[in-house]
């Protein structure tokens, strides 16, 4: 588990009664990510499952970079340092 608490995400996802939260992130014109999707390096106690619905992404997990494309699924374990960037203006995950 990552011990750099300065990079710990301080957002709560889910509750004890409903621990799984579904979030849809779109990038492109008219979204909060008009140029491209980007989330800087962070970690959290929860696991994260990404499903790429449109476009392609570069993900960094524990400082290793991987390419993700439409149809891919990526599982990020608890405590893993990660960063995600869309490689274009029109992505959905």
């Amino acid at each position: 588990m990552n011990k750099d608490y300065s990079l710990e995400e301080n957002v709560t996802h889910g509750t004890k009664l409903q621990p799984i939260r579904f979030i849809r992130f779109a990038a492109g014109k008219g979204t909060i990510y008009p140029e491209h999707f980007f989330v800087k390096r962070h970690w959290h106690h929860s696991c994260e499952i990404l499903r790429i619905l449109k476009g392609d992404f570069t993900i960094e997990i524990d400082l290793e970079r991987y390419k993700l494309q439409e149809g891919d699924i990526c599982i990020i374990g608890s405590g893993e340092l990660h960063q995600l960037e869309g490689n274009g203006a029109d992505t959905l995950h």
Side-chain angles (χ1 to χ4, degrees), residues 42-61:
H42 69 285
W43 68 275
H44 35 73
H45 293 282
S46 58
C47 293
E48 187 171 334
I49 301 171
L50 299 174
R51 182 171 165 224
I52 307 304
L53 299 172
K54 185 177 183 183
D56 61 297
F57 292 79
T58 300
I59 190 163
E60 182 184 284
I61 301 174

Side-chain angles (χ1 to χ4, degrees), residues 9 24 80:
E9 184 180 56
R24 187 177 181 100
E80 289 188 311

Side-chain angles (χ1 to χ4, degrees), residues 5 7 37 59 75 83 89 93:
Y5 291 101
L7 296 175
F37 181 85
I59 190 163
I75 299 172
Q83 173 173 292
H93 74 283

Side-chain angles (χ1 to χ4, degrees), residues 36-39 50 52 55-61 64-69 74 82-88 91:
H36 75 286
F37 181 85
F38 179 75
V39 173
L50 299 174
I52 307 304
D56 61 297
F57 292 79
T58 300
I59 190 163
E60 182 184 284
I61 301 174
E64 299 253 351
R65 294 171 65 86
Y66 306 92
K67 294 288 186 182
L68 299 174
Q69 59 190 4
C74 177
H82 59 286
Q83 173 173 292
L84 183 64
E85 182 169 12
N87 299 321
T91 59

